[in-house]
Amino acid sequence: ETGVTQTPRHLVMGMTNKKSLKCEQHLGHNAMYWYKQSAKKPLELMFVYSLEERVENNSVPSRFSPECPNSSHLFLHLHTLQPEDSALYLCASSQDMGLNEKLFFGSGTQLSVL
Amino acid sequence: AQSVTQPDIHITVSEGASLELRCNYSYGATPYLFWYVQSPGQGLQLLLKYFSGDTLVQGIKGFEAEFKRSQSSFNLRKPSVHWSDAAEYFCAVASDTGRRALTFGSGTRLQVQP
């Protein structure tokens, strides 16, 4: 248990659906991240929030929409996804955004887009 | 831009044998380097990190890594592998220029034979 909880663990959706991924951290951290993990590719940073403010958007398509209502919760809203968006979506948190910060990861949401 | 290369996609070792996983980075100044491990169905867990000082760093689970500036490498080692070490290992780098969040390599999958 890392203190970062992601729900749901698995999600299957059609291309016209709208769904949301949820991440919650119980560590009192100030920074939260979304990463995408596709087969045989490096982890891709999608979004970074620091103190509830988005500080990085790594050229992610607009069909992915993040939301950080407070420092403990992070959402990823999904709509009109494509099959190539099927991947493991990992949430992480860190105390701050220092360069030597340790990231704490959730177990991920395995997303399948049909 | 910073980048990380893990040349070995897949490695198989026998239980009790020594292990070395390779990592090369591309970055001009002193990087902040990390090794993370991901067990099946789980998020990533930090094994160790380096950002200054002694170039040989010790981590959890008996792992160590050595920073070699001349070779732009940060290889992970373990003298005697246990079956529970079977997992995917990711090298990552952070920098103080450009993007501050971690850049990950594509990972090395470790199999341990009895």
Side-chain angles (χ1 to χ4, degrees):
Chain A
E1 176 59 51
T2 64
V4 179
T5 303
Q6 290 187 244
T7 54
R9 289 296 305 271
H10 301 273
L11 178 62
V12 179
M13 58 187 290
M15 289 191 286
T16 57
N17 291 158
K18 289 184 179 181
K19 296 287 185 182
S20 295
L21 310 185
K22 179 182 176 183
C23 176
E24 184 174 0
Q25 57 98 358
H26 314 277
L27 302 168
H29 288 170
N30 295 318
M32 296 187 77
Y33 310 75
W34 279 117
Y35 279 88
K36 176 183 178 183
Q37 186 177 24
S38 305
K40 300 179 182 178
K41 291 178 68 176
L43 269 75
E44 300 171 59
L45 178 67
M46 299 177 73
F47 302 103
V48 183
Y49 277 81
S50 178
L51 297 172
E52 302 151 38
E53 178 182 342
R54 190 189 309 179
V55 297
E56 185 154 350
N57 175 352
N58 197 28
S59 302
V60 179
S62 59
R63 57 185 183 269
F64 295 91
S65 175
E67 179 190 2
C68 188
N70 55 63
S71 59
S72 298
H73 294 86
L74 185 65
F75 295 89
L76 188 62
H77 304 298
L78 316 171
H79 64 98
T80 59
L81 294 191
Q82 305 299 309
E84 61 265 29
D85 297 322
S86 298
L88 181 67
Y89 288 85
L90 291 166
C91 174
S93 70
S94 62
Q95 182 62 56
D96 291 295
M97 282 203 67
L99 292 171
N100 62 341
E101 290 286 344
K102 173 181 177 179
L103 291 182
F104 291 76
F105 283 84
S107 298
T109 295
Q110 185 66 54
L111 174 67
S112 297
V113 181
L114 304 179
Chain B
Q2 64 207 42
S3 67
V4 178
T5 302
Q6 294 181 247
D8 304 306
I9 297 172
H10 188 210
I11 283 183
T12 301
V13 301
S14 298
E15 190 168 15
S18 64
L19 172 70
E20 182 168 28
L21 302 182
R22 296 183 290 166
C23 172
N24 294 97
Y25 65 90
S26 171
Y27 178 61
T30 300
Y32 294 73
L33 295 159
F34 305 77
W35 274 100
Y36 281 81
V37 61
Q38 185 179 30
S39 298
Q42 300 298 315
L44 282 71
Q45 180 186 18
L46 180 68
L47 283 176
L48 47 79
K49 62 182 179 180
Y50 169 82
F51 51 95
S52 66
D54 193 345
T55 56
L56 184 64
V57 294
Q58 303 297 321
I60 62 171
K61 304 184 181 186
F63 285 92
E64 65 179 26
E66 185 172 13
F67 171 60
K68 292 185 178 180
R69 184 187 299 277
S70 62
Q71 299 177 19
S72 297
S73 69
F74 188 57
N75 294 348
L76 182 71
R77 301 194 295 248
K78 186 169 185 178
S80 178
V81 170
H82 188 263
W83 64 267
S84 60
D85 294 324
E88 188 143 23
Y89 292 80
F90 294 91
C91 184
V93 62
S95 69
D96 56 4
T97 60
R99 193 173 79 190
R100 293 175 62 87
L102 286 179
T103 297
F104 284 87
S106 53
T108 297
R109 180 165 297 280
L110 174 65
Q111 269 192 305
V112 180
Q113 288 182 333

